[in-house]
Amino acid sequence: MNYISIKNNQTVPIADIPVLDYQQFRETNISLLIKHSDRHCVNYFGYAQGNSIKLICCIADDSTHEICISSCIVDPSKKFESMSSKLLCFERFERELSENFGITFVNHPWMKPVRYSYNRADKSSVMDNYPFFNIDSEELHEVGVGPIHAGVIEPGHFRFICNGEQILHLEIQLGYQHRGLEDLFLQKKNLLQRVTLAESIAGDTVAGHTSAFCYLWESLSGCDPKPEIDFYRTLALELERIAIHTGDLSAICTDIAYQLGSSVFGRLRTPIINFTQEWGGNRLSKGLIRPGKTQFPFTKELGDRLNEVLNTYEPDFNEMCTELFKLPSALSRLERTGIVSYEDVLSIGTVGMSARMSGLTRDIRTSHPYALYPQLNHEPILKHHGDVYSRAQIRREEIWQSMSYIRQLLKNIPKSKTNYDMPNKLQPNAFSISLVEGWRGEICHCAITDSDGDLAVYKVKDPSFHNWLALALAVRNNEISDFPICNKSFNLSYCGHDL
C-alpha cells in the first residue's frame, strides 16, 4: 500500500507511514481524490529532516471513516510538478510549503505568499510587494479595503477589481495575525502552556481547537477519554455553536440594515455565553477544557439552569427567525447573493458550513465521529443554493439541532471525577491526527513526536484555511455593496488562518 489508513484520534508509529518518491506520492493522493466527492484533503504539510523536507498528506475518506496518510522526502532545491495543476484543493497547501521551505511547484496556478511566517524561506517576500492580480483597462477600477477594519475586527486586506459597482475579482491578502503558534507548541514544554496556546488559536473557536488539542494529546499519551469528558466537550462545542451562529445572524441583519434582527439576535447570544461563564468562569470557554481531566464538573444544578436558559432563549429566537425569514426586504438581500456552486466548493475543497451550503456533505461529526456524536445520531444540515440565504438557514437550523442535542445530553448527566492519570511522556516517534467539527467547520491538529516522546512537529489547520477562496468566488459578479453581507455570512477567521 502507498498509504496507511487510520481512524480519527488514532496514533501510529511514524515509521508505519509509507515513504514514497514524489511522483508516487503525487499520483497516490491525486488518485485518492479524483472522482471521489466523499474524500478530501484534511492536511498536507512538511517539516525539515536535515537538508530535506518530509511531506505528509492526509486524505479523509468520509464513507469508510478512515484517513489515508502517505509521505515523501524531497530536496527543496529541486522542482516538483504541483498537485494543484490537477486538483485545485491543494493550492493553498502548496503555497504554504513553498513559502515555508522554498519548494518550487511547477504549474501551480497561483503561487503567492500565504501568511508571511517569520521563518519563511524568502525573507525578501513582504507585505508591501505582494503580487496582486491586475486587469489593465480604463473601464475598471480597484478598491482596496483594510488591513485596518472600520469595525476594529481582525486585520486583512481585500482588493477588488470592479466594473462600476460590479465586482469582477477579489483578492484577499492575509498574514497580519501571524504569531508563530505552531512553533510555540514546540518551544513551550509545559502542558498548561500548550493547552493555553490551543485556546488562543481563534478566540471564537476555543472549544473547537482546545478539544482537538486534547484528543490529540490523549491519543499520543495512550489515554482513553472517559465518557464524562466526552460529555463536557460535546456540551461545550454545541454551546459555542449556538452562541456564534446567533451572533452571526445578528451581524447579517446589521449588514442589511435590519435593526430589529440585529438587536434581538445580539441580545440572545448573551445568555448563552453567560451560561458558559457560569459553568467554567469564562464566556469564551477558556480554562474549561483540559487533557484528561475536568476542571469544572457539570452538576445537576447547572443542568437545570441550562434548561432554563434554553427555554427562555428558544421562543424569542423562533419569533425573530419567523420575522426575518419571511420579511421580503430581508429575503431580497439574502437570496441569490454571494453564490458558490457545488462544483466550485468541491473543486476548492471547502469544509463545514461552507461546503454544506452547496449540498456537499462535509461534517466530521458523522464522517469521522468522536465524543458523544455517535449516540446523538447526528445528521448534517444541507442546503443547495450556496448563497447568503443558505448560510443563514444553516445557522438557524443548526441552532435548533444544537438545542436538541444539549437537551438530550442533560437527561443523563454523568458523575464527575476531578482528575485522571495522564502519562508524563508521549509515545515516541509517533504520528497522531485529531479532527473536530467546530461551528465554522473541520478543525485538524496533527503532531509528530521525537525519540524522547516530546513534540517535534505540531500542525494546525483551521477550517478558514480551506474556505477563504470560497468568499472570493462568492462575491464575483455581485455589487460591491454586497461584500459585507457575503463576508459576514461566511465569518471566516483571520487569526485561525494566520496562526
Side-chain angles (χ1 to χ4, degrees), residues 141-198:
H141 65 279
E142 290 189 355
V143 178
V145 178
I148 306 303
H149 189 275
V152 202
I153 62 168
E154 296 180 282
H157 181 72
F158 300 81
R159 187 164 297 190
F160 303 87
I161 299 177
C162 300
N163 182 9
E165 292 290 312
Q166 187 183 39
I167 300 170
L168 299 185
H169 178 78
L170 166 61
E171 189 153 353
I172 303 169
Q173 181 193 18
L174 301 173
Y176 297 91
Q177 289 281 78
H178 177 59
R179 297 152 288 166
L181 268 169
E182 292 170 334
D183 281 349
L184 286 172
F185 275 102
L186 311 184
Q187 294 168 19
K188 303 297 180 185
K189 301 301 181 184
N190 183 289
L191 180 55
L192 179 59
Q193 292 175 317
R194 285 168 165 164
V195 75
T196 303
L197 284 172

Short mmCIF file of all heavy atoms in Angstrom, two decimals, residues 141-198:
data_model
loop_
_atom_site.label_atom_id
_atom_site.label_comp_id
_atom_site.label_asym_id
_atom_site.label_seq_id
_atom_site.Cartn_x
_atom_site.Cartn_y
_atom_site.Cartn_z
N HIS A 141 -11.77 49.81 -12.21
CA HIS A 141 -11.07 50.47 -11.12
C HIS A 141 -10.88 49.50 -9.96
O HIS A 141 -11.57 48.49 -9.86
CB HIS A 141 -11.83 51.71 -10.65
CG HIS A 141 -13.17 51.38 -10.02
ND1 HIS A 141 -14.29 51.14 -10.76
CD2 HIS A 141 -13.54 51.28 -8.72
CE1 HIS A 141 -15.32 50.90 -9.94
NE2 HIS A 141 -14.87 50.97 -8.71
N GLU A 142 -9.90 49.80 -9.10
CA GLU A 142 -9.62 48.95 -7.94
C GLU A 142 -10.09 49.65 -6.67
O GLU A 142 -10.01 50.87 -6.55
CB GLU A 142 -8.13 48.66 -7.83
CG GLU A 142 -7.60 47.73 -8.93
CD GLU A 142 -6.17 47.31 -8.66
OE1 GLU A 142 -5.57 47.81 -7.69
OE2 GLU A 142 -5.67 46.47 -9.44
N VAL A 143 -10.57 48.83 -5.73
CA VAL A 143 -10.95 49.32 -4.40
C VAL A 143 -10.20 48.50 -3.37
O VAL A 143 -10.33 47.27 -3.33
CB VAL A 143 -12.47 49.19 -4.16
CG1 VAL A 143 -12.83 49.68 -2.75
CG2 VAL A 143 -13.26 49.95 -5.22
N GLY A 144 -9.42 49.16 -2.56
CA GLY A 144 -8.69 48.48 -1.50
C GLY A 144 -9.36 48.70 -0.16
O GLY A 144 -9.75 49.82 0.17
N VAL A 145 -9.52 47.63 0.61
CA VAL A 145 -10.14 47.72 1.95
C VAL A 145 -9.22 47.04 2.95
O VAL A 145 -8.82 45.90 2.74
CB VAL A 145 -11.52 47.03 1.97
CG1 VAL A 145 -12.12 47.10 3.37
CG2 VAL A 145 -12.47 47.67 0.96
N GLY A 146 -8.90 47.71 4.04
CA GLY A 146 -8.06 47.13 5.07
C GLY A 146 -6.58 47.37 4.80
O GLY A 146 -6.23 48.02 3.82
N PRO A 147 -5.70 46.87 5.65
CA PRO A 147 -5.96 45.84 6.66
C PRO A 147 -6.70 46.30 7.92
O PRO A 147 -7.23 45.46 8.63
CB PRO A 147 -4.55 45.36 7.03
CG PRO A 147 -3.67 46.52 6.76
CD PRO A 147 -4.26 47.20 5.58
N ILE A 148 -6.72 47.61 8.20
CA ILE A 148 -7.44 48.03 9.40
C ILE A 148 -8.92 48.12 9.07
O ILE A 148 -9.33 48.83 8.15
CB ILE A 148 -6.93 49.39 9.91
CG1 ILE A 148 -5.42 49.34 10.12
CG2 ILE A 148 -7.64 49.77 11.19
CD1 ILE A 148 -4.96 48.27 11.07
N HIS A 149 -9.72 47.36 9.81
CA HIS A 149 -11.16 47.32 9.56
C HIS A 149 -11.86 48.44 10.32
O HIS A 149 -11.50 48.75 11.45
CB HIS A 149 -11.70 45.96 10.02
CG HIS A 149 -13.12 45.70 9.61
ND1 HIS A 149 -14.18 46.14 10.35
CD2 HIS A 149 -13.64 45.05 8.55
CE1 HIS A 149 -15.31 45.77 9.77
NE2 HIS A 149 -15.01 45.11 8.67
N ALA A 150 -12.88 49.01 9.66
CA ALA A 150 -13.60 50.12 10.29
C ALA A 150 -14.24 49.72 11.61
O ALA A 150 -14.41 50.53 12.51
CB ALA A 150 -14.66 50.65 9.32
N GLY A 151 -14.62 48.43 11.72
CA GLY A 151 -15.26 47.96 12.95
C GLY A 151 -14.26 47.39 13.93
O GLY A 151 -14.64 46.75 14.91
N VAL A 152 -12.98 47.60 13.69
CA VAL A 152 -11.90 47.12 14.54
C VAL A 152 -12.02 45.62 14.79
O VAL A 152 -11.90 45.16 15.94
CB VAL A 152 -11.83 47.90 15.88
CG1 VAL A 152 -10.43 47.79 16.49
CG2 VAL A 152 -12.15 49.37 15.67
N ILE A 153 -12.31 44.87 13.72
CA ILE A 153 -12.21 43.41 13.85
C ILE A 153 -10.79 43.03 13.47
O ILE A 153 -9.90 43.86 13.46
CB ILE A 153 -13.25 42.70 12.96
CG1 ILE A 153 -13.02 43.04 11.48
CG2 ILE A 153 -14.66 43.07 13.39
CD1 ILE A 153 -13.81 42.17 10.53
N GLU A 154 -10.56 41.77 13.10
CA GLU A 154 -9.20 41.36 12.79
C GLU A 154 -8.73 41.97 11.46
O GLU A 154 -9.54 42.29 10.59
CB GLU A 154 -9.14 39.83 12.69
CG GLU A 154 -9.46 39.14 13.99
CD GLU A 154 -9.38 37.64 13.83
OE1 GLU A 154 -10.31 37.05 13.29
OE2 GLU A 154 -8.36 37.08 14.23
N PRO A 155 -7.40 42.12 11.27
CA PRO A 155 -6.91 42.75 10.05
C PRO A 155 -6.76 41.79 8.88
O PRO A 155 -6.36 40.63 9.04
CB PRO A 155 -5.54 43.28 10.48
CG PRO A 155 -5.09 42.37 11.56
CD PRO A 155 -6.34 41.90 12.27
N GLY A 156 -7.07 42.29 7.71
CA GLY A 156 -6.87 41.58 6.45
C GLY A 156 -7.09 42.58 5.33
O GLY A 156 -7.84 43.55 5.49
N HIS A 157 -6.42 42.37 4.19
CA HIS A 157 -6.55 43.32 3.09
C HIS A 157 -7.36 42.70 1.96
O HIS A 157 -7.08 41.57 1.52
CB HIS A 157 -5.18 43.72 2.56
CG HIS A 157 -5.26 44.71 1.44
ND1 HIS A 157 -5.62 46.03 1.64
CD2 HIS A 157 -5.06 44.59 0.11
CE1 HIS A 157 -5.62 46.67 0.48
NE2 HIS A 157 -5.28 45.81 -0.47
N PHE A 158 -8.37 43.43 1.50
CA PHE A 158 -9.24 42.98 0.41
C PHE A 158 -9.08 43.95 -0.75
O PHE A 158 -9.27 45.15 -0.58
CB PHE A 158 -10.70 42.94 0.86
CG PHE A 158 -10.94 42.01 2.03
CD1 PHE A 158 -10.66 42.41 3.32
CD2 PHE A 158 -11.43 40.73 1.82
CE1 PHE A 158 -10.87 41.56 4.39
CE2 PHE A 158 -11.64 39.87 2.89
CZ PHE A 158 -11.36 40.29 4.17
N ARG A 159 -8.74 43.43 -1.93
CA ARG A 159 -8.58 44.31 -3.09
C ARG A 159 -9.55 43.85 -4.18
O ARG A 159 -9.46 42.72 -4.68
CB ARG A 159 -7.14 44.29 -3.60
CG ARG A 159 -6.93 45.31 -4.70
CD ARG A 159 -5.48 45.59 -4.95
NE ARG A 159 -4.80 46.19 -3.79
CZ ARG A 159 -3.57 46.70 -3.84
NH1 ARG A 159 -2.89 46.69 -4.98
NH2 ARG A 159 -3.01 47.20 -2.75
N PHE A 160 -10.46 44.74 -4.51
CA PHE A 160 -11.50 44.45 -5.51
C PHE A 160 -11.12 45.07 -6.85
O PHE A 160 -10.64 46.20 -6.90
CB PHE A 160 -12.85 45.04 -5.09
CG PHE A 160 -13.34 44.56 -3.75
CD1 PHE A 160 -12.96 45.21 -2.58
CD2 PHE A 160 -14.20 43.47 -3.66
CE1 PHE A 160 -13.42 44.78 -1.35
CE2 PHE A 160 -14.67 43.05 -2.43
CZ PHE A 160 -14.28 43.69 -1.27
N ILE A 161 -11.39 44.35 -7.92
CA ILE A 161 -11.36 44.93 -9.26
C ILE A 161 -12.81 44.99 -9.73
O ILE A 161 -13.50 43.96 -9.78
CB ILE A 161 -10.51 44.09 -10.22
CG1 ILE A 161 -9.06 44.01 -9.72
CG2 ILE A 161 -10.56 44.68 -11.64
CD1 ILE A 161 -8.16 43.13 -10.56
N CYS A 162 -13.27 46.22 -10.03
CA CYS A 162 -14.70 46.43 -10.29
C CYS A 162 -14.93 47.08 -11.64
O CYS A 162 -14.12 47.88 -12.12
CB CYS A 162 -15.32 47.33 -9.22
SG CYS A 162 -15.19 46.70 -7.55
N ASN A 163 -16.05 46.74 -12.21
CA ASN A 163 -16.57 47.46 -13.38
C ASN A 163 -17.80 48.21 -12.90
O ASN A 163 -18.87 47.62 -12.75
CB ASN A 163 -16.92 46.46 -14.48
CG ASN A 163 -17.41 47.15 -15.74
OD1 ASN A 163 -17.34 48.38 -15.85
ND2 ASN A 163 -17.91 46.38 -16.69
N GLY A 164 -17.63 49.50 -12.63
CA GLY A 164 -18.71 50.23 -11.97
C GLY A 164 -18.90 49.69 -10.57
O GLY A 164 -17.96 49.61 -9.79
N GLU A 165 -20.11 49.25 -10.26
CA GLU A 165 -20.40 48.67 -8.94
C GLU A 165 -20.18 47.16 -8.90
O GLU A 165 -20.24 46.54 -7.84
CB GLU A 165 -21.87 48.96 -8.57
CG GLU A 165 -22.18 50.42 -8.31
CD GLU A 165 -21.55 50.92 -7.02
OE1 GLU A 165 -21.70 50.25 -5.99
OE2 GLU A 165 -20.89 51.97 -7.06
N GLN A 166 -19.96 46.56 -10.07
CA GLN A 166 -19.89 45.10 -10.15
C GLN A 166 -18.47 44.60 -9.87
O GLN A 166 -17.50 45.07 -10.47
CB GLN A 166 -20.33 44.62 -11.53
CG GLN A 166 -20.44 43.12 -11.65
CD GLN A 166 -20.81 42.69 -13.06
OE1 GLN A 166 -20.34 43.26 -14.04
NE2 GLN A 166 -21.66 41.69 -13.17
N ILE A 167 -18.36 43.60 -8.97
CA ILE A 167 -17.06 43.01 -8.64
C ILE A 167 -16.70 41.98 -9.71
O ILE A 167 -17.45 41.03 -9.96
CB ILE A 167 -17.10 42.33 -7.26
CG1 ILE A 167 -17.46 43.33 -6.17
CG2 ILE A 167 -15.76 41.66 -6.97
CD1 ILE A 167 -17.76 42.67 -4.82
N LEU A 168 -15.53 42.17 -10.32
CA LEU A 168 -15.04 41.14 -11.24
C LEU A 168 -14.10 40.17 -10.54
O LEU A 168 -14.04 38.99 -10.87
CB LEU A 168 -14.29 41.80 -12.42
CG LEU A 168 -15.10 42.76 -13.30
CD1 LEU A 168 -14.24 43.23 -14.46
CD2 LEU A 168 -16.36 42.09 -13.82
N HIS A 169 -13.34 40.70 -9.59
CA HIS A 169 -12.34 39.87 -8.93
C HIS A 169 -12.07 40.40 -7.53
O HIS A 169 -12.03 41.62 -7.32
CB HIS A 169 -11.04 39.88 -9.75
CG HIS A 169 -9.93 39.09 -9.12
ND1 HIS A 169 -9.86 37.71 -9.18
CD2 HIS A 169 -8.84 39.50 -8.43
CE1 HIS A 169 -8.78 37.30 -8.55
NE2 HIS A 169 -8.14 38.35 -8.08
N LEU A 170 -11.90 39.51 -6.58
CA LEU A 170 -11.50 39.88 -5.22
C LEU A 170 -10.26 39.10 -4.85
O LEU A 170 -10.21 37.87 -4.99
CB LEU A 170 -12.61 39.57 -4.21
CG LEU A 170 -12.18 39.60 -2.73
CD1 LEU A 170 -11.66 40.97 -2.32
CD2 LEU A 170 -13.33 39.17 -1.83
N GLU A 171 -9.26 39.80 -4.40
CA GLU A 171 -8.06 39.13 -3.89
C GLU A 171 -7.94 39.42 -2.40
O GLU A 171 -8.07 40.57 -1.97
CB GLU A 171 -6.82 39.62 -4.63
CG GLU A 171 -5.60 38.80 -4.28
CD GLU A 171 -4.58 38.81 -5.40
OE1 GLU A 171 -4.89 39.33 -6.49
OE2 GLU A 171 -3.48 38.29 -5.18
N ILE A 172 -7.70 38.37 -1.61
CA ILE A 172 -7.66 38.50 -0.15
C ILE A 172 -6.24 38.24 0.32
O ILE A 172 -5.71 37.14 0.16
CB ILE A 172 -8.64 37.52 0.51
CG1 ILE A 172 -10.06 37.75 -0.01
CG2 ILE A 172 -8.59 37.65 2.03
CD1 ILE A 172 -11.06 36.68 0.38
N GLN A 173 -5.62 39.26 0.89
CA GLN A 173 -4.25 39.15 1.39
C GLN A 173 -4.30 39.05 2.92
O GLN A 173 -4.77 39.95 3.60
CB GLN A 173 -3.42 40.37 0.98
CG GLN A 173 -1.99 40.32 1.45
CD GLN A 173 -1.28 41.66 1.32
OE1 GLN A 173 -1.93 42.69 1.18
NE2 GLN A 173 0.03 41.65 1.34
N LEU A 174 -3.79 37.92 3.44
CA LEU A 174 -3.82 37.68 4.88
C LEU A 174 -2.39 37.57 5.42
O LEU A 174 -1.44 37.70 4.69
CB LEU A 174 -4.63 36.42 5.18
CG LEU A 174 -6.08 36.44 4.70
CD1 LEU A 174 -6.73 35.08 4.90
CD2 LEU A 174 -6.87 37.52 5.44
N GLY A 175 -2.28 37.30 6.69
CA GLY A 175 -0.97 37.14 7.31
C GLY A 175 -0.69 38.15 8.41
O GLY A 175 0.30 38.04 9.12
N TYR A 176 -1.57 39.14 8.56
CA TYR A 176 -1.33 40.18 9.56
C TYR A 176 -1.43 39.66 11.00
O TYR A 176 -0.98 40.32 11.93
CB TYR A 176 -2.34 41.33 9.37
CG TYR A 176 -2.21 42.03 8.04
CD1 TYR A 176 -2.94 41.60 6.94
CD2 TYR A 176 -1.35 43.10 7.88
CE1 TYR A 176 -2.83 42.23 5.71
CE2 TYR A 176 -1.23 43.75 6.66
CZ TYR A 176 -1.97 43.31 5.58
OH TYR A 176 -1.85 43.93 4.36
N GLN A 177 -2.06 38.51 11.17
CA GLN A 177 -2.27 37.97 12.52
C GLN A 177 -1.27 36.85 12.85
O GLN A 177 -1.46 36.14 13.83
CB GLN A 177 -3.69 37.39 12.62
CG GLN A 177 -4.78 38.42 12.65
CD GLN A 177 -4.91 39.06 14.01
OE1 GLN A 177 -4.13 39.92 14.38
NE2 GLN A 177 -5.88 38.64 14.78
N HIS A 178 -0.25 36.67 12.02
CA HIS A 178 0.68 35.55 12.26
C HIS A 178 1.44 35.74 13.57
O HIS A 178 2.04 36.78 13.81
CB HIS A 178 1.67 35.45 11.10
CG HIS A 178 2.69 34.38 11.29
ND1 HIS A 178 2.35 33.05 11.45
CD2 HIS A 178 4.04 34.43 11.37
CE1 HIS A 178 3.45 32.34 11.61
NE2 HIS A 178 4.48 33.15 11.56
N ARG A 179 1.39 34.69 14.41
CA ARG A 179 2.04 34.76 15.72
C ARG A 179 3.07 33.65 15.92
O ARG A 179 3.67 33.54 16.98
CB ARG A 179 0.98 34.65 16.84
CG ARG A 179 -0.02 35.80 16.86
CD ARG A 179 -1.35 35.37 17.44
NE ARG A 179 -2.05 34.51 16.50
CZ ARG A 179 -3.10 33.76 16.82
NH1 ARG A 179 -3.55 33.75 18.05
NH2 ARG A 179 -3.69 33.01 15.91
N GLY A 180 3.23 32.77 14.92
CA GLY A 180 4.18 31.66 15.08
C GLY A 180 3.68 30.61 16.06
O GLY A 180 4.47 29.99 16.78
N LEU A 181 2.36 30.37 16.07
CA LEU A 181 1.77 29.49 17.08
C LEU A 181 2.28 28.05 17.01
O LEU A 181 2.52 27.41 18.03
CB LEU A 181 0.24 29.48 16.92
CG LEU A 181 -0.53 30.50 17.76
CD1 LEU A 181 -1.97 30.58 17.31
CD2 LEU A 181 -0.48 30.09 19.23
N GLU A 182 2.45 27.54 15.78
CA GLU A 182 2.86 26.13 15.67
C GLU A 182 4.24 25.91 16.29
O GLU A 182 4.48 24.88 16.95
CB GLU A 182 2.84 25.71 14.19
CG GLU A 182 1.41 25.67 13.64
CD GLU A 182 1.36 25.48 12.14
OE1 GLU A 182 2.34 25.86 11.45
OE2 GLU A 182 0.34 24.98 11.64
N ASP A 183 5.15 26.84 16.12
CA ASP A 183 6.47 26.70 16.75
C ASP A 183 6.39 26.90 18.25
O ASP A 183 7.16 26.30 19.01
CB ASP A 183 7.44 27.72 16.14
CG ASP A 183 7.96 27.25 14.78
OD1 ASP A 183 7.73 26.07 14.43
OD2 ASP A 183 8.56 28.07 14.06
N LEU A 184 5.47 27.73 18.71
CA LEU A 184 5.32 27.92 20.16
C LEU A 184 4.89 26.62 20.85
O LEU A 184 5.25 26.37 22.00
CB LEU A 184 4.30 29.04 20.44
CG LEU A 184 4.79 30.46 20.18
CD1 LEU A 184 3.64 31.46 20.31
CD2 LEU A 184 5.91 30.84 21.13
N PHE A 185 4.10 25.78 20.13
CA PHE A 185 3.73 24.48 20.72
C PHE A 185 4.97 23.64 21.02
O PHE A 185 4.98 22.83 21.94
CB PHE A 185 2.81 23.70 19.76
CG PHE A 185 1.36 24.05 19.90
CD1 PHE A 185 0.74 24.89 19.00
CD2 PHE A 185 0.60 23.52 20.93
CE1 PHE A 185 -0.60 25.21 19.10
CE2 PHE A 185 -0.75 23.84 21.06
CZ PHE A 185 -1.35 24.68 20.14
N LEU A 186 6.04 23.81 20.21
CA LEU A 186 7.27 23.05 20.43
C LEU A 186 8.14 23.71 21.49
O LEU A 186 8.80 23.03 22.29
CB LEU A 186 8.05 22.93 19.12
CG LEU A 186 7.27 22.48 17.89
CD1 LEU A 186 8.19 22.33 16.70
CD2 LEU A 186 6.53 21.17 18.15
N GLN A 187 8.13 25.03 21.53
CA GLN A 187 9.01 25.74 22.46
C GLN A 187 8.50 25.65 23.90
O GLN A 187 9.29 25.57 24.84
CB GLN A 187 9.11 27.22 22.05
CG GLN A 187 9.81 27.43 20.72
CD GLN A 187 9.64 28.86 20.20
OE1 GLN A 187 9.31 29.78 20.95
NE2 GLN A 187 9.85 29.06 18.90
N LYS A 188 7.20 25.68 24.08
CA LYS A 188 6.63 25.63 25.43
C LYS A 188 6.52 24.17 25.86
O LYS A 188 5.87 23.37 25.21
CB LYS A 188 5.24 26.28 25.46
CG LYS A 188 5.22 27.73 24.97
CD LYS A 188 6.06 28.62 25.85
CE LYS A 188 6.03 30.08 25.35
NZ LYS A 188 6.94 30.93 26.13
N LYS A 189 7.17 23.82 26.96
CA LYS A 189 7.26 22.42 27.37
C LYS A 189 6.20 22.03 28.40
O LYS A 189 6.01 20.86 28.70
CB LYS A 189 8.65 22.14 27.96
CG LYS A 189 9.79 22.42 26.99
CD LYS A 189 9.67 21.56 25.72
CE LYS A 189 10.82 21.83 24.76
NZ LYS A 189 10.66 21.07 23.48
N ASN A 190 5.54 23.02 28.96
CA ASN A 190 4.53 22.75 30.00
C ASN A 190 3.17 22.50 29.34
O ASN A 190 2.77 23.23 28.43
CB ASN A 190 4.48 23.98 30.92
CG ASN A 190 3.51 23.78 32.06
OD1 ASN A 190 2.31 23.77 31.85
ND2 ASN A 190 4.05 23.61 33.26
N LEU A 191 2.47 21.45 29.81
CA LEU A 191 1.18 21.11 29.20
C LEU A 191 0.18 22.25 29.31
O LEU A 191 -0.59 22.52 28.38
CB LEU A 191 0.62 19.84 29.84
CG LEU A 191 -0.74 19.35 29.31
CD1 LEU A 191 -0.70 19.16 27.80
CD2 LEU A 191 -1.16 18.06 30.01
N LEU A 192 0.17 22.95 30.45
CA LEU A 192 -0.77 24.07 30.62
C LEU A 192 -0.47 25.17 29.60
O LEU A 192 -1.39 25.78 29.05
CB LEU A 192 -0.68 24.62 32.04
CG LEU A 192 -1.60 25.82 32.35
CD1 LEU A 192 -3.06 25.46 32.11
CD2 LEU A 192 -1.39 26.31 33.78
N GLN A 193 0.81 25.42 29.35
CA GLN A 193 1.16 26.43 28.34
C GLN A 193 0.65 26.01 26.96
O GLN A 193 0.14 26.81 26.19
CB GLN A 193 2.68 26.62 28.29
CG GLN A 193 3.26 27.28 29.53
CD GLN A 193 4.78 27.32 29.47
OE1 GLN A 193 5.45 26.36 29.08
NE2 GLN A 193 5.34 28.46 29.85
N ARG A 194 0.79 24.72 26.66
CA ARG A 194 0.38 24.25 25.33
C ARG A 194 -1.14 24.29 25.16
O ARG A 194 -1.64 24.69 24.10
CB ARG A 194 0.92 22.83 25.11
CG ARG A 194 2.42 22.79 24.82
CD ARG A 194 3.01 21.41 24.86
NE ARG A 194 4.34 21.39 24.24
CZ ARG A 194 5.22 20.42 24.40
NH1 ARG A 194 4.94 19.38 25.18
NH2 ARG A 194 6.39 20.46 23.78
N VAL A 195 -1.87 23.91 26.18
CA VAL A 195 -3.33 23.95 26.05
C VAL A 195 -3.81 25.40 26.00
O VAL A 195 -4.81 25.72 25.32
CB VAL A 195 -4.02 23.13 27.17
CG1 VAL A 195 -3.99 23.86 28.49
CG2 VAL A 195 -5.45 22.80 26.80
N THR A 196 -3.09 26.30 26.65
CA THR A 196 -3.44 27.72 26.57
C THR A 196 -3.20 28.24 25.15
O THR A 196 -3.97 29.06 24.63
CB THR A 196 -2.62 28.54 27.58
OG1 THR A 196 -2.86 28.01 28.89
CG2 THR A 196 -3.02 30.00 27.57
N LEU A 197 -2.14 27.74 24.52
CA LEU A 197 -1.91 28.10 23.11
C LEU A 197 -3.07 27.62 22.23
O LEU A 197 -3.53 28.34 21.35
CB LEU A 197 -0.60 27.47 22.62
CG LEU A 197 0.69 28.13 23.08
CD1 LEU A 197 1.88 27.27 22.68
CD2 LEU A 197 0.83 29.52 22.49
N ALA A 198 -3.54 26.39 22.48
CA ALA A 198 -4.66 25.86 21.69
C ALA A 198 -5.89 26.75 21.85
O ALA A 198 -6.63 27.01 20.89
CB ALA A 198 -4.97 24.43 22.11
#
